[in-house]
Amino acid sequence: MRKAAVTGHPVKHSRSPIIHGYWLETYGIEGEYGLVDVPPHEALTFFKSLPEHQLVGCNVTIPNKEIALEAADIVDDAAREIGAVNTLWIDETGKLQGSNTDAVGFLGNLDQAAPGWDTRKAKAVVLGAGGAARAILWALKQRNYQEIVLINRTLEKAEALQHHFGKPIRTSVWETRSEELENCDLLVNTTALGMTGQRPLDLDLDRLLSTAVVTDIVYTPLMTDLLAAAKARGNQVVDGLGMLLHQAVPGFEKWFGIHPVVTSELRSLILKDMDQ
């Protein structure tokens, strides 16, 4: 029986076991997916000895993603550029492979929920410069956006990412965030602003194209104030739950040999868990 798990510290609230458990049952696979709490000081040793823990691989959540990058023998371009690993697996040669699937999750969510969202590819505006923003900037570069405007409350953090990723990314100060929505085709909020328990995101959408797609990587609440305001003015909106579901796809395929599909049934299962 092949076994995988989500690892982090803390990890007990992760919904990954629900996602992978659903796929294991759906495809009739004899496998297991569990939870393993791994404190940072134990993470490097743990990742380098996955077979000793009867694991063929694992997901990695905070605060161990950078440690997983260090632990992996081989990492893909996404992990290297984003600077973090969230998926590990043992390959057929016994090497520890690492990937970052957050970009895949972001793109997969938009591709499924808003087909054609990247047709024009003229201008994207990304709010926030944390770890999630790194994955999204890398993803948008893969889709060949002509202009990506990165806006963060601390300009220096945005400038550091601009320097790291290069063109076509440019930065803008937080005070001009509403003005930068002029001619924007895609608006992405990667900040915690608007999340349950956080301060609201203050943003004027008047300059946003009516054809623009608006997405928020937050999924608690599912319909953030940003998405609600955008939807009210006629914009297509995409919530952040799909990113969580789609980022899980590559790992499941590596561990269990089947490329799973993100279905409405799976989404409903997670929503039901969120309501409990």
Side-chain angles (χ1 to χ4, degrees):
M1 179 182 291
R2 298 173 71 82
K3 298 180 181 180
V6 58
T7 65
H9 185 71
V11 75
K12 62 181 179 179
H13 298 301
S14 173
R15 294 187 171 92
S16 291
I18 301 174
I19 298 170
H20 293 282
Y22 168 83
W23 285 330
L24 287 169
E25 183 177 351
T26 297
Y27 297 107
I29 297 172
E30 188 177 352
E32 289 184 6
Y33 186 97
L35 294 162
V36 183
D37 192 294
V38 181
H41 68 277
E42 298 176 5
L44 187 64
T45 301
F46 180 88
F47 296 143
K48 285 186 171 293
S49 59
L50 289 181
E52 296 174 23
H53 298 278
Q54 289 77 52
L55 294 173
V56 297
C58 65
N59 282 127
V60 184
T61 187
I62 56 173
N64 296 334
K65 292 184 179 184
E66 289 77 18
I67 301 171
L69 178 69
E70 180 186 351
D73 299 313
I74 303 168
V75 297
D76 62 10
D77 290 341
R80 189 176 300 107
E81 285 296 306
I82 295 167
V85 159
N86 71 350
T87 305
L88 290 167
W89 69 96
I90 307 294
D91 68 16
E92 60 278 1
T93 70
K95 296 286 189 180
L96 182 62
Q97 296 253 13
S99 177
N100 189 303
T101 65
D102 286 336
V104 171
F106 173 75
L107 295 175
N109 185 27
L110 285 173
D111 288 342
Q112 184 177 57
W117 66 274
D118 60 346
T119 300
R120 219 169 80 89
K121 303 181 183 182
K123 181 182 181 181
V125 172
V126 177
L127 303 177
R134 296 178 72 96
I136 287 161
L137 292 174
W138 191 85
L140 293 177
K141 286 192 67 173
Q142 305 315 298
R143 292 295 174 95
N144 300 311
Y145 262 78
Q146 298 169 30
E147 181 183 17
I148 304 169
V149 185
L150 181 61
I151 307 173
N152 191 56
R153 284 168 288 181
T154 305
L155 181 60
E156 291 76 16
K157 288 187 68 175
E159 290 176 334
L161 290 189
Q162 178 193 27
H163 178 74
H164 176 75
F165 287 103
K167 295 180 179 180
I169 299 165
R170 69 173 175 85
T171 61
S172 187
V173 295
W174 187 251
E175 290 71 24
T176 64
R177 61 193 180 281
S178 298
E179 288 83 349
E180 285 289 358
L181 299 183
E182 192 88 40
N183 297 318
C184 171
D185 302 300
L186 175 71
L187 171 60
V188 186
N189 177 38
T190 77
T191 74
L193 296 175
M195 188 175 181
T196 301
Q198 300 291 329
R199 288 183 296 153
L201 171 62
D202 181 18
L203 186 67
D204 185 348
L205 301 180
D206 285 350
R207 301 189 188 208
L208 188 67
L209 293 171
S210 61
T211 54
V213 174
V214 180
T215 186
D216 199 325
I217 69 165
V218 165
Y219 57 89
T220 51
L222 197 63
M223 181 61 68
T224 62
D225 288 344
L226 170 63
L227 295 185
K231 186 176 182 179
R233 65 190 300 277
N235 290 96
Q236 186 169 15
V237 301
V238 179
D239 64 58
L241 180 56
M243 182 175 171
L244 171 71
L245 304 180
H246 282 276
Q247 64 82 30
V249 169
F252 188 90
E253 184 173 16
K254 293 293 184 184
W255 306 321
F256 301 111
I258 288 180
H259 184 89
V261 176
V262 174
T263 62
S264 56
E265 184 181 27
L266 174 59
R267 180 180 168 89
S268 297
L269 198 63
I270 299 298
L271 288 174
K272 182 179 178 181
D273 181 72
M274 288 168 59
D275 287 339
Q276 291 178 356

